[in-house]
Amino acid sequence: MAVPVALAAAVAGCSGDDTSTTAATSTVVSTSGAPQRTTEQAAEEQGPGVRIAIGAARPVVVPAEAIMDIKAPAEWGDAASGLRCTVTDSTGRNEDLRSSDVKKRETIAGGEWITLWTFSSQPATEVTVGCRDTGNRIPADEAHYIRVTPRGANPN
């Protein structure tokens, strides 16, 4: 049923009538079945840094003279202490991760995040960052990704 509507809108848009063009461009038909993202989810995805799913690894470029933070959602609470992260450079060498007892909190894209670890590397290099939830402590209904951001990046 969606195909005839889309086809009719496309044909109507070809007639040269300005009103039909408006109708054609304003018609939205979703056939993917994928859930629509909320405004909050879209803002969260656009926050600073690199988002990395738990259990995956992604490349991260280290800006010049930057200290990098690995952050987790504050709502994970004590469950975040079960995360094990690694940072490797292009030669496969592990970077040292530093942590402190006081977890720095900040707001990023409307959510509260805590800094779990920091690391530094040669400027303008690419490292690979990955984290695992070793004890499956993160609740299933929570977002399952961390952020890697340069320290001092504007979180808004």
Side-chain angles (χ1 to χ4, degrees), residues 2-3 7 15 24-25 41 62 143 146 153:
V3 175
L7 183 59
S15 70
T25 58
Q41 289 168 328
V62 179
I146 52 102

Side-chain angles (χ1 to χ4, degrees), residues 9-35:
V11 171
C14 294
S15 70
D17 182 0
D18 290 337
T19 59
S20 65
T21 302
T22 303
T25 58
S26 63
T27 303
V28 177
V29 177
S30 176
T31 59
S32 68

Side-chain angles (χ1 to χ4, degrees), residues 125-150:
T125 59
E126 185 176 278
V127 296
T128 301
V129 179
C131 295
R132 317 182 316 283
D133 181 12
T134 57
N136 293 323
R137 296 175 58 180
I138 299 170
D141 60 338
E142 299 291 337
H144 285 91
Y145 65 91
I146 52 102
R147 284 187 190 273
V148 180
T149 61

